[in-house]
């Protein structure tokens, strides 16, 4: 006779649960399944399941960004509603930074932007920040002046 499973755990193996859960149609359904049962959460948050999930549900295109503006995806694109919500919530003009309008975007990845501005007359010393336009937060990165040459002949 099999021993009873702990309360809340289904009487199935994780592989079988994963094969059932991977068939859910939307990413929102995976979120609902995670909060509905601890065993489902354990399966869904495992690395092997997440690899399968991301292969079936690639990240959505939310829009494009130019130097001055964010252009959200428009209907009939499947992610148009999420893109519009992002455009309404985020500040892609970076007005939350000191001296808005003087910052130049250098890189963007994972929803965060590396921006900089020239503090002096030359391009040697710049202020660099990483900012999150959705939460309107930024962090300055430390910059060091280039090291001076040391004369080792004496």
């Amino acid at each position: 006779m099999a021993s009873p499973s702990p309360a809340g755990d289904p009487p199935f193996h994780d592989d079988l649960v994963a094969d059932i859960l991977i068939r859910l149609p939307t990413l929102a359904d995976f979120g609902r399944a995670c909060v509905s049962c601890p065993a489902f959460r354990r399966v869904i948050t495992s690395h092997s399941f997440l690899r399968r999930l991301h292969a079936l549900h690639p990240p959505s295109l939310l829009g494009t960004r130019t130097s001055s503006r964010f252009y959200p995806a428009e209907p009939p694109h499947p992610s148009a509603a999420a893109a519009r919500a992002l455009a309404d919530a985020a500040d892609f003009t970076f007005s939350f930074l000191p001296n808005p309008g003087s910052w130049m975007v250098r890189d963007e990845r994972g929803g965060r932007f590396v921006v900089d501005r020239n503090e002096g007359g030359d391009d040697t010393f710049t202020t660099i920040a990483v900012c999150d336009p959705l939460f309107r937060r930024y962090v300055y990165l430390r910059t060091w002046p280039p090291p001076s040459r040391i004369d080792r002949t004496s």
Side-chain angles (χ1 to χ4, degrees):
M1 180 172 173
S3 63
S5 64
D9 282 351
F12 306 115
H13 294 285
D14 286 352
D15 294 337
L16 180 60
V17 173
D19 286 340
I20 293 168
L21 290 175
I22 200 69
R23 290 174 170 77
L24 291 173
T26 66
L27 292 176
D29 293 330
F30 290 102
R32 289 186 203 98
C34 272
V35 299
S36 68
C37 174
F40 291 171
R41 178 176 170 75
R42 182 182 64 244
V43 170
I44 291 173
T45 57
S46 71
H47 292 292
S48 60
F49 186 86
L50 288 174
R51 275 194 301 274
R52 289 175 64 189
L53 178 65
H54 291 306
L56 292 173
H57 298 276
S60 300
L61 172 71
L62 295 176
T64 58
R65 189 188 166 284
T66 64
S67 60
S68 61
R69 190 172 162 203
F70 175 73
Y71 296 95
E74 296 181 358
H77 196 279
S79 63
R84 173 57 39 206
L86 176 67
D88 292 341
D91 180 6
F92 290 105
T93 62
F94 306 110
S95 64
F96 54 92
L97 289 168
N99 299 327
S102 64
W103 295 89
M104 180 175 282
V105 175
R106 296 298 181 181
D107 194 14
E108 54 189 284
R109 213 167 268 156
R112 292 186 177 81
F113 293 80
V114 176
V115 296
D116 76 336
R117 71 172 181 202
N118 191 357
E119 293 291 331
D122 60 359
D123 292 333
T124 306
F125 299 103
T126 62
T127 301
I128 302 171
V130 176
C131 59
D132 185 343
L134 184 60
F135 293 101
R136 293 174 170 79
R137 296 184 297 199
Y138 64 94
V139 175
Y140 288 121
L141 298 180
R142 292 188 66 175
T143 57
W144 291 274
S148 61
R149 289 186 154 187
I150 300 173
D151 186 11
R152 298 195 186 264
T153 58
S154 52

